[in-house]
Amino acid sequence: MAAKSDKLVQFELNEPETVSAKLRVLFGRTRCELERLSGELGEAEYRGRQMFEALYRQRVTDLDAMTALPVEFRRKLSEAGYTVGAPKITQTFESQDGTERYLVELADGRTVETVWMPEGDGGEAGEDSDDEVNHRRATICVSSQVGCAVRCNFCFTAKLGLERHLTAGEIAGQVTAVLARHDATVGSARGQGNPDRINLVFMGMGEPFHNYENFMTAFHLLHEGAGIAASRMTVSTSGVVPGIEKFAQEDVRPRLAISLNAPNDAVRAEIMPITRKWPIADVMQALRKVNLTGRERLTFEYVLLGKVNDQLKDAEELAQLVKKSGLRAKVNLIVWNPGPGIAFDMPKPEDVLAFQMALRKAEVPAYIRKPRGLDIFAACGQLKRTVEAAG
Ligand code: SAH
Ligand code: SF4
Protein backbone atom coordinates (compact mmCIF):
# COMPACT_ATOMS: atom_id res chain seq x y z
CA MET A 1 0.00 0.00 0.00
CA ALA A 2 1.37 3.42 -0.88
CA ALA A 3 2.02 5.85 1.96
CA LYS A 4 -0.64 8.20 0.70
CA SER A 5 -3.43 5.65 0.68
CA ASP A 6 -2.20 4.38 4.08
CA LYS A 7 -3.03 7.79 5.49
CA LEU A 8 -6.41 7.82 3.88
CA VAL A 9 -7.23 4.37 5.22
CA GLN A 10 -6.18 5.44 8.71
CA PHE A 11 -8.35 8.49 8.56
CA GLU A 12 -11.45 6.61 7.49
CA LEU A 13 -10.86 3.70 9.78
CA ASN A 14 -10.42 5.88 12.82
CA GLU A 15 -13.96 7.13 12.51
CA PRO A 16 -15.22 4.91 15.37
CA GLU A 17 -12.98 6.85 17.72
CA THR A 18 -15.01 9.93 17.01
CA VAL A 19 -18.10 7.84 17.60
CA SER A 20 -16.92 6.76 21.07
CA ALA A 21 -15.96 10.34 21.92
CA LYS A 22 -19.47 11.37 20.94
CA LEU A 23 -20.86 8.55 22.99
CA ARG A 24 -18.81 9.85 25.89
CA VAL A 25 -17.19 6.55 26.58
CA LEU A 26 -14.67 6.71 29.44
CA PHE A 27 -12.91 3.41 28.86
CA GLY A 28 -9.88 3.92 26.66
CA ARG A 29 -9.06 7.41 27.95
CA THR A 30 -5.60 8.04 29.31
CA ARG A 31 -4.92 9.37 32.79
CA CYS A 32 -4.25 12.85 31.40
CA GLU A 33 -7.51 12.83 29.49
CA LEU A 34 -9.45 11.76 32.55
CA GLU A 35 -7.78 14.42 34.68
CA ARG A 36 -8.68 17.01 32.09
CA LEU A 37 -12.25 15.78 31.99
CA SER A 38 -12.51 16.06 35.78
CA GLY A 39 -11.32 19.64 35.52
CA GLU A 40 -13.83 20.43 32.79
CA LEU A 41 -16.58 19.12 35.00
CA GLY A 42 -15.43 21.31 37.86
CA GLU A 43 -13.80 18.54 39.91
CA ALA A 44 -10.27 18.16 41.26
CA GLU A 45 -7.66 16.55 39.01
CA TYR A 46 -7.14 13.60 41.29
CA ARG A 47 -10.68 12.46 40.55
CA GLY A 48 -9.34 11.70 37.06
CA ARG A 49 -6.69 9.47 38.58
CA GLN A 50 -9.37 7.69 40.57
CA MET A 51 -11.33 7.07 37.38
CA PHE A 52 -8.18 5.75 35.73
CA GLU A 53 -7.65 3.35 38.61
CA ALA A 54 -11.29 2.23 38.57
CA LEU A 55 -11.36 1.61 34.82
CA TYR A 56 -8.16 -0.35 34.37
CA ARG A 57 -7.15 -1.67 37.79
CA GLN A 58 -10.53 -2.39 39.31
CA ARG A 59 -12.12 -3.12 35.93
CA VAL A 60 -15.46 -1.53 36.77
CA THR A 61 -18.12 -1.83 34.11
CA ASP A 62 -20.49 0.91 35.21
CA LEU A 63 -20.29 4.33 36.77
CA ASP A 64 -21.99 3.23 40.00
CA ALA A 65 -19.09 0.90 40.70
CA MET A 66 -16.66 3.85 40.79
CA THR A 67 -17.12 4.05 44.52
CA ALA A 68 -14.05 6.21 45.10
CA LEU A 69 -15.88 9.05 43.36
CA PRO A 70 -18.49 11.04 45.28
CA VAL A 71 -22.06 10.11 44.36
CA GLU A 72 -22.59 13.68 43.21
CA PHE A 73 -19.76 13.46 40.65
CA ARG A 74 -20.99 10.11 39.39
CA ARG A 75 -24.41 11.65 38.88
CA LYS A 76 -22.86 14.58 37.04
CA LEU A 77 -21.01 12.20 34.71
CA SER A 78 -24.10 10.19 34.04
CA GLU A 79 -26.25 13.27 33.40
CA ALA A 80 -23.66 14.52 30.94
CA GLY A 81 -24.03 11.21 29.08
CA TYR A 82 -20.78 9.52 30.15
CA THR A 83 -20.63 5.74 30.37
CA VAL A 84 -17.82 3.28 31.08
CA GLY A 85 -18.41 1.62 27.70
CA ALA A 86 -15.79 -1.12 27.96
CA PRO A 87 -15.98 -3.87 25.33
CA LYS A 88 -17.90 -6.97 26.49
CA ILE A 89 -17.46 -10.68 25.92
CA THR A 90 -20.60 -11.83 24.15
CA GLN A 91 -19.68 -15.38 23.24
CA THR A 92 -17.26 -17.97 24.58
CA PHE A 93 -15.92 -21.13 22.96
CA GLU A 94 -14.14 -23.54 25.27
CA SER A 95 -11.49 -25.95 24.05
CA GLN A 96 -10.72 -29.34 25.54
CA ASP A 97 -7.21 -28.09 26.33
CA GLY A 98 -8.49 -25.25 28.53
CA THR A 99 -8.10 -22.56 25.88
CA GLU A 100 -11.02 -20.18 25.56
CA ARG A 101 -11.87 -18.06 22.55
CA TYR A 102 -14.11 -15.03 22.99
CA LEU A 103 -16.07 -12.82 20.74
CA VAL A 104 -15.74 -9.35 22.17
CA GLU A 105 -18.39 -6.86 21.11
CA LEU A 106 -17.47 -3.29 20.22
CA ALA A 107 -19.57 -0.15 20.40
CA ASP A 108 -20.53 -0.34 16.72
CA GLY A 109 -21.75 -3.93 17.05
CA ARG A 110 -18.70 -5.42 15.34
CA THR A 111 -16.89 -8.22 17.12
CA VAL A 112 -13.26 -9.08 17.53
CA GLU A 113 -11.58 -12.22 18.88
CA THR A 114 -9.50 -12.70 22.00
CA VAL A 115 -8.00 -15.93 23.32
CA TRP A 116 -7.13 -17.13 26.84
CA MET A 117 -4.50 -19.86 27.02
CA PRO A 118 -3.83 -21.30 30.47
CA GLU A 119 -0.15 -22.08 31.19
CA GLY A 120 1.18 -20.02 28.29
CA ASP A 121 1.88 -21.34 24.85
CA GLY A 122 5.34 -22.85 25.12
CA GLY A 123 6.71 -19.97 23.08
CA GLU A 124 6.57 -16.48 24.57
CA ALA A 125 5.81 -17.79 28.05
CA GLY A 126 7.61 -21.10 27.83
CA GLU A 127 10.95 -19.92 29.10
CA ASP A 128 9.65 -18.57 32.35
CA SER A 129 11.17 -20.96 34.83
CA ASP A 130 9.15 -19.73 37.77
CA ASP A 131 6.32 -22.18 38.12
CA GLU A 132 5.40 -21.78 41.72
CA VAL A 133 2.07 -23.43 42.29
CA ASN A 134 0.59 -20.34 43.88
CA HIS A 135 0.56 -18.44 40.64
CA ARG A 136 -1.89 -19.02 37.89
CA ARG A 137 -0.23 -18.79 34.50
CA ALA A 138 -1.93 -17.84 31.32
CA THR A 139 -1.38 -15.97 28.07
CA ILE A 140 -4.00 -13.70 26.55
CA CYS A 141 -3.87 -13.21 22.78
CA VAL A 142 -5.19 -9.77 21.83
CA SER A 143 -6.46 -8.37 18.51
CA SER A 144 -5.49 -4.94 17.19
CA GLN A 145 -7.75 -4.56 14.14
CA VAL A 146 -10.96 -6.00 12.79
CA GLY A 147 -9.45 -8.05 9.98
CA CYS A 148 -6.04 -7.25 8.51
CA ALA A 149 -4.72 -5.49 5.42
CA VAL A 150 -1.55 -7.59 5.13
CA ARG A 151 -2.30 -10.41 2.77
CA CYS A 152 -0.26 -13.32 4.13
CA ASN A 153 -1.67 -16.18 2.16
CA PHE A 154 -1.50 -18.83 4.92
CA CYS A 155 -3.54 -16.74 7.41
CA PHE A 156 -7.31 -16.75 7.84
CA THR A 157 -7.56 -13.25 9.23
CA ALA A 158 -6.16 -12.04 5.90
CA LYS A 159 -9.31 -13.29 4.19
CA LEU A 160 -11.40 -10.70 5.99
CA GLY A 161 -9.45 -7.80 4.60
CA LEU A 162 -9.24 -4.79 6.88
CA GLU A 163 -12.59 -3.67 8.27
CA ARG A 164 -11.24 -1.12 10.68
CA HIS A 165 -8.65 -0.27 13.31
CA LEU A 166 -9.48 -0.87 16.95
CA THR A 167 -9.36 2.08 19.29
CA ALA A 168 -6.99 1.98 22.26
CA GLY A 169 -9.95 1.22 24.53
CA GLU A 170 -11.04 -1.64 22.32
CA ILE A 171 -7.58 -3.17 22.44
CA ALA A 172 -7.07 -2.74 26.20
CA GLY A 173 -10.71 -3.65 26.88
CA GLN A 174 -10.25 -7.16 25.50
CA VAL A 175 -7.67 -7.73 28.21
CA THR A 176 -9.64 -6.26 31.10
CA ALA A 177 -12.74 -8.24 30.05
CA VAL A 178 -10.79 -11.51 30.01
CA LEU A 179 -8.99 -10.73 33.28
CA ALA A 180 -12.32 -9.95 34.92
CA ARG A 181 -13.85 -13.17 33.62
CA HIS A 182 -11.03 -15.16 35.22
CA ASP A 183 -10.87 -12.96 38.27
CA ALA A 184 -7.14 -12.65 37.66
CA THR A 185 -4.79 -10.52 39.71
CA VAL A 186 -1.95 -8.88 37.86
CA GLY A 187 1.03 -6.79 38.85
CA SER A 188 1.74 -6.18 42.48
CA ALA A 189 -1.39 -4.41 43.64
CA ARG A 190 -1.22 -4.30 47.40
CA GLY A 191 -3.58 -6.42 49.41
CA GLN A 192 -4.49 -8.64 46.47
CA GLY A 193 -2.38 -11.64 47.32
CA ASN A 194 0.04 -13.25 44.89
CA PRO A 195 -0.37 -11.85 41.44
CA ASP A 196 -1.05 -14.29 38.63
CA ARG A 197 1.51 -14.72 35.87
CA ILE A 198 -0.40 -13.32 32.95
CA ASN A 199 1.36 -12.68 29.64
CA LEU A 200 -0.15 -10.71 26.81
CA VAL A 201 0.62 -11.33 23.17
CA PHE A 202 -0.62 -8.86 20.57
CA MET A 203 -0.90 -11.63 18.03
CA GLY A 204 -4.62 -11.85 17.45
CA MET A 205 -6.39 -10.37 14.47
CA GLY A 206 -4.66 -7.51 12.74
CA GLU A 207 -1.27 -5.91 12.22
CA PRO A 208 -0.54 -3.84 15.35
CA PHE A 209 1.97 -1.61 13.55
CA HIS A 210 -0.68 -0.56 11.03
CA ASN A 211 -2.57 0.83 14.01
CA TYR A 212 0.50 2.07 15.83
CA GLU A 213 -0.78 4.96 17.96
CA ASN A 214 -3.84 3.15 19.26
CA PHE A 215 -1.81 0.05 19.93
CA MET A 216 0.82 1.97 21.94
CA THR A 217 -1.84 3.85 23.88
CA ALA A 218 -3.47 0.51 24.75
CA PHE A 219 -0.08 -0.78 25.85
CA HIS A 220 0.31 2.18 28.23
CA LEU A 221 -3.21 1.74 29.61
CA LEU A 222 -2.42 -1.89 30.34
CA HIS A 223 1.00 -1.11 31.74
CA GLU A 224 0.28 1.94 33.89
CA GLY A 225 -3.43 1.41 34.33
CA ALA A 226 -3.88 -2.33 34.71
CA GLY A 227 -0.38 -2.79 36.16
CA ILE A 228 0.85 -5.45 33.74
CA ALA A 229 4.64 -5.52 33.44
CA ALA A 230 5.97 -4.40 30.06
CA SER A 231 8.19 -7.50 29.99
CA ARG A 232 5.06 -9.68 30.08
CA MET A 233 3.73 -8.22 26.86
CA THR A 234 4.88 -9.09 23.32
CA VAL A 235 3.78 -7.41 20.10
CA SER A 236 4.13 -9.22 16.83
CA THR A 237 4.54 -7.52 13.46
CA SER A 238 4.67 -8.89 9.96
CA GLY A 239 7.60 -6.55 9.33
CA VAL A 240 6.23 -3.02 8.91
CA VAL A 241 9.56 -1.18 8.82
CA PRO A 242 8.38 2.37 9.71
CA GLY A 243 6.50 0.81 12.67
CA ILE A 244 9.62 -0.97 13.89
CA GLU A 245 11.59 2.27 13.60
CA LYS A 246 9.05 4.17 15.65
CA PHE A 247 8.94 1.36 18.16
CA ALA A 248 12.72 1.56 18.53
CA GLN A 249 12.29 5.13 19.83
CA GLU A 250 9.89 4.19 22.65
CA ASP A 251 11.16 4.44 26.22
CA VAL A 252 8.70 1.96 27.64
CA ARG A 253 7.54 -0.75 25.30
CA PRO A 254 6.55 -4.38 25.11
CA ARG A 255 8.84 -7.07 23.71
CA LEU A 256 8.99 -7.53 19.98
CA ALA A 257 8.30 -10.50 17.75
CA ILE A 258 8.62 -10.55 13.96
CA SER A 259 6.81 -12.95 11.69
CA LEU A 260 9.72 -13.99 9.52
CA ASN A 261 8.28 -17.25 8.18
CA ALA A 262 10.92 -17.77 5.51
CA PRO A 263 14.72 -17.95 5.24
CA ASN A 264 14.96 -15.62 2.24
CA ASP A 265 13.06 -12.97 0.29
CA ALA A 266 12.07 -15.28 -2.56
CA VAL A 267 10.17 -17.73 -0.34
CA ARG A 268 8.88 -14.96 1.90
CA ALA A 269 7.49 -12.88 -0.96
CA GLU A 270 5.47 -15.89 -2.07
CA ILE A 271 3.72 -16.29 1.27
CA MET A 272 3.94 -12.71 2.56
CA PRO A 273 3.54 -10.13 -0.23
CA ILE A 274 4.59 -7.39 2.24
CA THR A 275 8.16 -8.61 1.58
CA ARG A 276 8.09 -6.80 -1.76
CA LYS A 277 7.66 -3.53 0.07
CA TRP A 278 10.05 -4.28 2.92
CA PRO A 279 12.59 -7.01 2.17
CA ILE A 280 14.16 -9.00 5.01
CA ALA A 281 17.36 -6.90 4.98
CA ASP A 282 15.35 -3.72 5.62
CA VAL A 283 13.48 -5.41 8.46
CA MET A 284 16.77 -6.56 10.02
CA GLN A 285 18.25 -3.10 9.73
CA ALA A 286 15.25 -1.59 11.49
CA LEU A 287 15.43 -4.27 14.19
CA ARG A 288 19.03 -3.34 14.95
CA LYS A 289 17.76 0.05 16.10
CA VAL A 290 15.70 -1.53 18.89
CA ASN A 291 17.69 -1.31 22.11
CA LEU A 292 17.35 -4.65 23.84
CA THR A 293 17.45 -4.42 27.60
CA GLY A 294 18.88 -6.91 30.10
CA ARG A 295 18.12 -10.44 29.05
CA GLU A 296 15.66 -9.36 26.40
CA ARG A 297 15.67 -11.14 23.07
CA LEU A 298 13.75 -10.59 19.88
CA THR A 299 11.50 -13.39 18.70
CA PHE A 300 11.38 -14.53 15.11
CA GLU A 301 8.16 -16.36 14.49
CA TYR A 302 8.32 -19.00 11.81
CA VAL A 303 5.18 -20.73 10.62
CA LEU A 304 6.13 -24.12 9.21
CA LEU A 305 4.28 -24.82 5.97
CA GLY A 306 4.66 -28.35 4.58
CA LYS A 307 7.36 -28.45 1.87
CA VAL A 308 7.23 -24.67 1.41
CA ASN A 309 9.67 -23.59 4.13
CA ASP A 310 10.08 -26.60 6.44
CA GLN A 311 13.02 -28.48 4.94
CA LEU A 312 16.49 -28.89 6.47
CA LYS A 313 18.05 -26.53 3.94
CA ASP A 314 15.54 -23.89 5.04
CA ALA A 315 16.49 -24.38 8.69
CA GLU A 316 20.16 -24.03 7.84
CA GLU A 317 19.56 -20.92 5.77
CA LEU A 318 17.41 -19.46 8.57
CA ALA A 319 20.12 -20.16 11.13
CA GLN A 320 22.64 -18.29 8.98
CA LEU A 321 20.23 -15.41 8.48
CA VAL A 322 19.62 -15.03 12.21
CA LYS A 323 23.29 -15.35 13.09
CA LYS A 324 24.43 -12.91 10.41
CA SER A 325 21.88 -10.38 11.59
CA GLY A 326 23.86 -10.06 14.82
CA LEU A 327 20.58 -9.72 16.71
CA ARG A 328 20.01 -11.33 20.09
CA ALA A 329 17.07 -13.46 19.05
CA LYS A 330 15.27 -16.76 19.36
CA VAL A 331 13.03 -18.56 16.91
CA ASN A 332 9.51 -19.67 17.75
CA LEU A 333 8.38 -22.39 15.39
CA ILE A 334 4.65 -22.55 14.77
CA VAL A 335 3.12 -25.55 13.07
CA TRP A 336 0.75 -24.18 10.45
CA ASN A 337 -2.87 -24.52 11.52
CA PRO A 338 -5.03 -25.58 8.63
CA GLY A 339 -8.53 -24.40 7.82
CA PRO A 340 -10.99 -24.34 4.96
CA GLY A 341 -10.06 -22.55 1.76
CA ILE A 342 -6.31 -22.29 2.30
CA ALA A 343 -4.16 -24.57 0.20
CA PHE A 344 -1.14 -25.42 2.32
CA ASP A 345 -0.04 -28.65 3.95
CA MET A 346 0.85 -29.12 7.57
CA PRO A 347 4.51 -30.01 8.09
CA LYS A 348 5.34 -33.60 9.06
CA PRO A 349 6.01 -33.94 12.81
CA GLU A 350 9.50 -35.35 12.12
CA ASP A 351 10.29 -32.36 9.91
CA VAL A 352 9.28 -29.98 12.68
CA LEU A 353 11.65 -31.67 15.13
CA ALA A 354 14.46 -31.86 12.59
CA PHE A 355 13.99 -28.15 11.86
CA GLN A 356 14.27 -27.27 15.54
CA MET A 357 17.34 -29.49 15.96
CA ALA A 358 19.07 -27.90 12.99
CA LEU A 359 18.57 -24.45 14.49
CA ARG A 360 19.80 -25.57 17.89
CA LYS A 361 22.82 -27.24 16.33
CA ALA A 362 23.67 -23.89 14.80
CA GLU A 363 23.28 -22.36 18.29
CA VAL A 364 20.10 -20.50 17.47
CA PRO A 365 17.62 -20.94 20.35
CA ALA A 366 14.46 -22.50 18.94
CA TYR A 367 11.16 -23.41 20.56
CA ILE A 368 8.09 -25.10 19.17
CA ARG A 369 4.91 -23.26 19.99
CA LYS A 370 2.21 -25.58 21.22
CA PRO A 371 -0.93 -25.38 19.12
CA ARG A 372 -3.78 -24.28 21.37
CA GLY A 373 -7.52 -24.41 21.00
CA LEU A 374 -7.46 -25.98 17.54
CA ASP A 375 -10.91 -27.50 18.09
CA ILE A 376 -12.43 -24.05 18.61
CA PHE A 377 -10.50 -22.22 15.88
CA ALA A 378 -8.52 -20.27 18.44
CA ALA A 379 -5.04 -21.20 17.24
CA CYS A 380 -2.61 -18.86 15.48
CA GLY A 381 -3.94 -17.55 12.21
CA GLN A 382 -7.36 -19.07 12.73
CA LEU A 383 -8.90 -15.94 14.13
CA LYS A 384 -11.56 -14.76 11.82
CA ARG A 385 -14.63 -13.01 13.07
CA THR A 386 -16.92 -15.98 12.87
CA VAL A 387 -19.33 -17.91 15.03
CA GLU A 388 -19.41 -20.88 12.69
CA ALA A 389 -16.84 -22.86 14.63
CA ALA A 390 -18.90 -23.16 17.79
CA GLY A 391 -17.12 -25.80 19.87
N1 SAH B 1 -0.21 -9.56 12.25
C1 SAH B 1 0.81 -9.86 13.18
C2 SAH B 1 0.28 -10.50 14.45
C3 SAH B 1 -0.85 -11.46 14.30
S1 SAH B 1 -0.50 -12.98 13.43
C4 SAH B 1 1.86 -10.74 12.56
O1 SAH B 1 1.65 -11.27 11.47
O2 SAH B 1 2.92 -10.88 13.15
C5 SAH B 1 0.35 -13.90 14.71
C6 SAH B 1 1.21 -15.05 14.19
O3 SAH B 1 0.39 -16.10 13.67
C7 SAH B 1 2.16 -14.65 13.08
O4 SAH B 1 3.46 -15.03 13.40
C8 SAH B 1 1.65 -15.42 11.88
O5 SAH B 1 2.72 -15.72 11.03
C9 SAH B 1 1.01 -16.64 12.52
N2 SAH B 1 0.01 -17.31 11.69
C10 SAH B 1 -0.86 -16.75 10.84
N3 SAH B 1 -1.65 -17.70 10.27
C11 SAH B 1 -1.27 -18.88 10.79
C12 SAH B 1 -1.72 -20.24 10.63
N4 SAH B 1 -2.71 -20.55 9.83
N5 SAH B 1 -1.12 -21.19 11.36
C13 SAH B 1 -0.12 -20.87 12.21
N6 SAH B 1 0.33 -19.63 12.42
C14 SAH B 1 -0.22 -18.64 11.72
FE1 SF4 C 1 -2.27 -10.01 9.10
FE2 SF4 C 1 -0.54 -11.27 10.73
FE3 SF4 C 1 -2.40 -12.67 9.37
FE4 SF4 C 1 -0.35 -11.59 8.06
S1 SF4 C 1 -0.23 -13.21 9.63
S2 SF4 C 1 -2.51 -11.50 7.43
S3 SF4 C 1 -0.05 -9.69 9.19
S4 SF4 C 1 -2.77 -11.16 10.96
Side-chain angles (χ1 to χ4, degrees):
M1 216 189 288
K4 197 171 160 206
S5 61
D6 251 343
K7 257 195 199 137
L8 195 65
V9 168
Q10 287 223 343
F11 177 72
E12 284 163 2
L13 292 165
N14 274 326
E15 195 84 8
E17 211 138 26
T18 339
V19 175
S20 24
K22 273 199 200 118
L23 289 175
R24 307 206 152 176
V25 165
L26 293 176
F27 196 94
R29 296 186 191 219
T30 62
R31 192 171 58 196
C32 282
E33 288 166 347
L34 293 166
E35 285 171 355
R36 202 180 321 130
L37 176 64
S38 287
E40 282 164 15
L41 294 171
E43 300 281 335
E45 255 193 13
Y46 76 90
R47 296 290 179 206
R49 279 201 296 285
Q50 290 175 324
M51 282 196 264
F52 187 72
E53 174 91 358
L55 290 171
Y56 308 111
R57 186 78 67 150
Q58 293 154 18
R59 311 189 283 248
V60 304
T61 51
D62 63 77
L63 287 177
D64 285 339
M66 291 194 175
T67 49
L69 301 183
V71 180
E72 190 48 37
F73 183 30
R74 280 184 258 159
R75 194 174 318 130
K76 209 187 279 178
L77 282 168
S78 157
E79 279 169 9
Y82 287 97
T83 59
V84 169
K88 288 188 187 66
I89 294 175
T90 51
Q91 233 174 319
T92 303
F93 306 98
E94 291 177 24
S95 163
Q96 290 176 349
D97 67 16
T99 300
E100 294 185 354
R101 176 172 70 108
Y102 312 104
L103 292 189
V104 176
E105 197 176 276
L106 313 172
D108 64 355
R110 283 184 161 96
T111 52
V112 82
E113 304 199 359
T114 312
V115 182
W116 163 269
M117 296 170 280
E119 290 158 38
D121 66 358
E124 267 62 51
E127 309 163 75
D128 197 337
S129 58
D130 175 8
D131 28 9
E132 287 172 52
V133 278
N134 289 339
H135 306 297
R136 216 169 4 151
R137 302 176 41 128
T139 299
I140 301 175
C141 181
V142 187
S143 294
S144 56
Q145 296 178 311
V146 185
C148 183
V150 185
R151 298 187 314 281
C152 305
N153 57 11
F154 50 84
C155 170
F156 298 90
T157 305
K159 299 211 145 193
L160 281 175
L162 177 57
E163 289 192 18
R164 73 164 170 89
H165 293 309
L166 296 185
T167 63
E170 288 168 342
I171 299 172
Q174 297 167 57
V175 178
T176 49
V178 174
L179 292 176
R181 176 185 162 82
H182 291 274
D183 202 15
T185 311
V186 291
S188 54
R190 261 176 300 144
Q192 294 190 344
N194 277 337
D196 295 318
R197 302 285 193 253
I198 309 285
N199 293 295
L200 303 186
V201 293
F202 297 93
M203 298 185 184
M205 294 166 71
E207 167 50 59
F209 284 3
H210 273 172
N211 186 18
Y212 190 88
E213 300 303 331
N214 291 345
F215 161 70
M216 276 311 287
T217 304
F219 161 76
H220 287 296
L221 295 178
L222 292 164
H223 178 237
E224 288 143 39
I228 300 172
S231 60
R232 291 208 170 271
M233 302 191 227
T234 304
V235 61
S236 172
T237 178
S238 54
V240 177
V241 166
I244 299 172
E245 285 172 344
K246 250 197 220 168
F247 186 81
Q249 307 290 318
E250 304 284 352
D251 289 335
V252 189
R253 53 162 183 81
R255 301 209 161 175
L256 182 60
I258 301 91
S259 298
L260 191 54
N261 298 340
N264 58 51
D265 281 337
V267 176
R268 194 169 192 264
E270 262 178 39
I271 56 175
M272 300 181 74
I274 195 173
T275 311
R276 289 191 206 108
K277 187 160 184 182
W278 293 299
I280 294 174
D282 292 10
V283 174
M284 295 297 190
Q285 200 181 336
L287 291 174
R288 273 185 221 104
K289 298 183 183 158
V290 179
N291 246 325
L292 300 179
T293 54
R295 287 166 48 221
E296 186 183 0
R297 282 186 293 184
L298 295 170
T299 302
F300 287 116
E301 294 157 284
Y302 194 102
V303 180
L304 291 161
L305 302 158
K307 297 196 209 65
V308 173
N309 64 358
D310 68 340
Q311 300 299 298
L312 263 187
K313 64 168 179 26
D314 302 315
E316 284 155 9
E317 197 178 345
L318 175 64
Q320 288 317 310
L321 179 69
V322 173
K323 288 176 92 167
K324 264 201 242 140
S325 76
L327 294 161
R328 182 143 39 101
K330 62 174 167 145
V331 174
N332 271 2
L333 299 170
I334 313 169
V335 173
W336 179 67
N337 297 309
I342 301 201
F344 281 104
D345 292 320
M346 285 179 77
K348 292 195 201 119
E350 61 269 28
D351 287 348
V352 176
L353 285 177
F355 201 98
Q356 182 189 28
M357 285 311 143
L359 289 174
R360 291 198 164 168
K361 213 171 112 197
E363 290 170 349
V364 173
Y367 303 84
I368 299 173
R369 191 185 289 170
K370 266 191 266 170
R372 304 296 304 260
L374 273 174
D375 52 341
I376 55 161
F377 280 73
C380 287
Q382 292 190 309
L383 299 186
K384 183 171 147 187
R385 186 176 42 85
T386 172
V387 289
E388 292 139 38

